[in-house]
């Protein structure tokens, strides 16, 4: 009898107040989780990522030779930026938004999200230590790659369990398929990274990837992972933020198909074909998302700087610059500087610019409905990032190709400008997170 009474109590429906309290508590927990991921990503962006990149660039500029810096150091910088910063942001936003987007506020194991973040960041940190200090790198390299891979599998399993409330009867939007393609690109990147790490631990002479393999790996990590993610979330958010019409879904799908084919050719080493197809896919994506279309409504810039639409569009200009520089590099006799300029235009001009713009637009709201601390700091950060990227991309082409010798002196200034930009971005978000949510501010006397 007592057991039946207990079961009756358990099955008693929740009141509206209880549902509201449970939902509010879940929102607070998700916001705290997101802040954990974003803070970790900012640390990787500033210290192992940008600071080491500045150090590398100053050394290269002083010696006027890219070969003067250890490839392991350069790869440590890239790994911290791509997986430590962008990857951590993506995992955090995924854990925060996907359950709400695809399954309402259904309970899920939050502890697995915290575990995933700890494993992911530990893996990135160990990779940085192995490449920079070379201490026990034969052990740390495969361990770091394994931690990253396992963390992503936990993340993918957690978010894939949340089904649409309609039981999946309605077709998923095209932008979701683009994000899924980016997720598969990230998974492939991690698998390739793990295999290469094990091979280097057994047979390699250093933790640095061989040049031929690294070139293919960068095509996958940069173009196959980050670019589809940005396209997908651009198709989701930018029509709302810029006041343009909805994306052209068929054209966006076509851009994705061409892009995937391009990545396949890149992994096979056919870089001339790859770069041409990437120009085509990027052109299709820009038209599909209506980046440069005439807005139908005023842009939504409340709480951020009014320059937001300009810098978002400038990011897609950098995307095309990166793609066209890739075509040049694939056909150049001495392509090192051009490849570097193309990658920088992509990672900083496109990806970082989009993160700086959209991140400061959505992350404060996601983290407990906060307001961005300073739209003015946002503007100066974007301006410095643009100036630094212009100096870096032009300087690498002119200096490495021996067109203008004085361009070597530009490179340290570009690095300092970009370091100041990321510092402003990080400061603006951290101070925003430290402030109370809007609701609490309004309730204060």
């Amino acid at each position: 009898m007592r057991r039946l009474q207990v079961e009756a109590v358990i099955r008693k429906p929740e009141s509206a107040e209880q549902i509201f309290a449970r939902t509010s508590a879940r929102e607070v927990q998700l916001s705290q989780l997101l802040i954990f991921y974003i803070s970790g990503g900012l640390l990787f962006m500033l210290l192992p990522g940008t600071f080491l990149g500045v150090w590398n660039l100053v050394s290269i500029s002083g010696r006027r030779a890219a070969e003067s810096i250890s490839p392991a150091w350069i790869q440590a910088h890239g790994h911290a930026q791509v997986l430590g910063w962008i990857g951590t942001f993506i995992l955090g936003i995924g854990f925060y938004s996907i359950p709400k987007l695809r399954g309402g506020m259904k309970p899920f194991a939050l502890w697995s999200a915290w575990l995933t973040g700890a494993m992911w960041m530990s893996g990135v940190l160990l990779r940085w230590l192995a490449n920079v200090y070379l201490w026990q790198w034969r052990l740390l390299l495969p361990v770091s790659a394994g931690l990253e891979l396992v963390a992503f599998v936990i993340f993918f399993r957690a978010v894939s369990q949340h089904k649409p409330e309609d039981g999946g009867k309605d077709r998923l939007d095209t932008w979701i398929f683009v994000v899924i393609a980016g997720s598969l690109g990230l998974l492939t990147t991690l698998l390739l990274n793990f295999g290469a790490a094990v091979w280097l631990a057994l047979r390699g002479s250093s933790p640095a990837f061989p040049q031929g393999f690294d070139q293919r790996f960068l095509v996958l990590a940069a173009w196959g992972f980050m670019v589809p993610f940005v396209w997908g979330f651009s198709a989701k958010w930018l029509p709302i933020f810029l006041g343009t019409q909805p994306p052209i879904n068929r054209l966006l799908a076509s851009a994705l198909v061409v892009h995937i084919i391009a990545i396949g050719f890149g992994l096979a080493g056919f870089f001339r074909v790859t770069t041409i197809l990437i120009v085509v896919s990027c052109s299709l994506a820009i038209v599909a998302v209506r980046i440069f279309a005439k807005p139908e409504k005023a842009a939504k810039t409340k709480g951020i700087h009014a320059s937001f639409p300009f810098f978002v569009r400038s990011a897609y200009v950098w995307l095309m610059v990166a793609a066209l520089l890739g075509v040049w590099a694939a056909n150049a006799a001495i392509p090192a500087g051009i490849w570097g300029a193309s990658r920088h235009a992509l990672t900083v001009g496109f990806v970082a610019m989009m993160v700086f713009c959209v991140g400061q637009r959505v992350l404060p709201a996601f983290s407990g409905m906060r307001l961005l601390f300073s739209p003015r700091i946002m503007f100066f950060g974007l301006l410095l990032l643009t100036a630094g990227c212009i100096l870096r991309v032009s300087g690498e082409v002119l200096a490495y190709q021996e067109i203008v010798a004085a361009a070597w002196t530009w490179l340290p200034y570009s690095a300092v400008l970009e370091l100041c930009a990321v510092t402003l971005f990080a400061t603006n978000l951290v101070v925003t997170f430290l402030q109370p949510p809007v609701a609490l501010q309004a309730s204060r006397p």
Side-chain angles (χ1 to χ4, degrees):
M1 178 65 69
R2 184 173 182 79
R3 181 178 178 181
L4 293 176
Q5 292 175 344
V6 171
E7 290 180 353
V9 171
I10 293 175
R11 294 174 183 174
K12 183 179 179 180
E14 293 181 302
S15 64
E17 292 78 7
Q18 290 174 322
I19 294 175
F20 177 78
R22 177 170 53 81
T23 303
S24 299
R26 174 70 61 176
E27 185 65 32
V28 170
Q29 291 174 325
L30 287 172
S31 298
Q32 292 172 344
L33 178 68
L34 178 64
I35 292 174
F36 166 68
Y37 274 90
I38 300 305
S39 300
L42 291 175
L43 286 175
F44 281 113
M45 175 191 70
L46 280 171
L47 301 177
T50 303
F51 183 77
L52 182 60
V54 171
W55 183 275
N56 290 340
L57 193 59
V58 170
S59 300
I60 290 172
S61 176
R63 301 171 187 176
R64 300 198 173 190
E67 308 82 31
S68 61
I69 297 298
S70 166
W73 277 43
I74 296 175
Q75 292 175 21
H77 157 70
H79 197 89
Q81 291 286 62
V82 173
L83 296 183
W85 174 26
I86 303 300
T88 305
F89 269 35
I90 287 174
L91 264 62
I93 293 172
F95 271 123
Y96 176 83
S97 63
I98 292 179
K100 296 173 67 177
L101 181 66
R102 302 191 61 200
M105 292 304 295
K106 295 179 181 179
F108 67 98
L110 276 176
W111 68 265
S112 66
W114 289 95
L115 175 64
T116 299
M119 293 178 65
W120 179 267
M121 295 180 206
S122 297
V124 177
L125 181 60
L126 288 178
R127 175 60 174 269
W128 187 81
L129 293 173
N131 276 42
V132 172
Y133 293 101
L134 304 180
W135 181 79
Q136 298 292 331
W137 67 266
R138 293 186 186 277
L139 174 63
L140 294 185
L141 203 64
V143 169
S144 69
L147 285 172
E148 292 167 354
L149 181 58
V150 172
F152 181 78
V153 170
I154 296 174
F155 164 79
F156 188 79
R157 181 177 180 274
V159 299
S160 64
Q161 289 177 343
H162 299 277
K163 306 299 181 182
E165 292 182 341
D166 59 9
K169 295 179 182 179
D170 294 338
R171 293 181 59 185
L172 296 178
D173 292 333
T174 303
W175 75 268
I176 296 180
F177 287 105
V178 180
V179 171
I180 291 173
S183 300
L184 294 177
L186 175 54
L187 176 60
T188 307
T189 299
L190 296 174
L191 288 170
L192 199 59
N193 178 61
F194 179 74
V198 172
W199 186 89
L200 286 172
L202 296 175
R203 299 186 180 182
S205 57
S206 81
F209 290 163
Q211 184 177 359
F213 173 82
D214 189 50
Q215 187 78 355
R216 292 168 168 82
F217 182 78
L218 288 174
V219 170
L220 177 62
W223 293 98
F225 150 45
M226 293 190 293
V227 170
F229 266 112
V230 177
W231 287 356
F233 287 114
S234 293
K236 169 64 176 176
W237 286 328
L238 291 189
I240 300 172
F241 296 160
L242 297 180
T244 56
Q245 292 182 358
I248 307 171
N249 288 326
R250 289 187 178 181
L251 198 57
L252 182 59
S254 300
L256 179 62
V257 171
V258 174
H259 200 72
I260 292 172
I261 295 172
I263 302 305
F265 277 109
L267 290 175
F270 299 105
F271 297 119
R272 291 182 178 180
V273 179
T274 296
T275 54
I276 292 174
L277 289 176
I278 283 177
V279 170
V280 174
S281 66
C282 291
S283 302
L284 293 174
I286 288 173
V287 176
V289 184
R290 305 180 191 269
I291 295 298
F292 299 105
K294 185 178 180 180
E296 292 187 333
K297 304 176 183 177
K300 293 183 179 296
T301 58
K302 184 179 180 180
I304 58 174
H305 200 271
S307 62
F308 171 84
F310 170 80
F311 285 109
V312 165
R313 293 185 173 98
S314 74
Y316 275 87
V317 172
W318 281 114
L319 176 66
M320 288 306 302
V321 170
L324 293 172
L325 284 172
V327 174
W328 183 13
N331 292 275
I334 306 175
I338 308 172
W339 278 126
S342 174
R343 285 192 291 268
H344 201 80
L346 177 68
T347 56
V348 175
F350 177 58
V351 177
M353 186 69 70
M354 287 298 295
V355 172
F356 276 34
C357 289
V358 179
Q360 293 180 95
R361 176 65 177 78
V362 302
L363 291 177
F366 286 175
S367 59
M369 296 305 295
R370 291 173 166 84
L371 290 176
L372 183 67
F373 171 67
S374 173
R376 183 172 296 180
I377 291 179
M378 174 184 177
F379 169 72
F380 283 113
L382 292 169
L383 188 63
L384 290 173
L385 190 72
T386 301
C389 195
I390 291 173
L391 282 180
R392 174 67 178 272
V393 172
S394 61
E396 279 196 302
V397 172
L398 297 175
Y400 284 57
Q401 300 304 117
E402 299 181 355
I403 299 174
V404 178
W408 287 106
T409 62
W410 302 352
L411 297 178
Y413 293 106
S414 73
V416 172
L417 287 172
E418 291 176 359
L419 178 61
C420 292
V422 299
T423 302
L424 289 178
F425 171 69
T427 301
N428 213 14
L429 283 184
V430 169
V431 177
T432 298
F433 293 155
L434 292 176
Q435 292 192 125
V438 176
L440 291 181
Q441 295 182 37
S443 65
R444 290 178 176 178

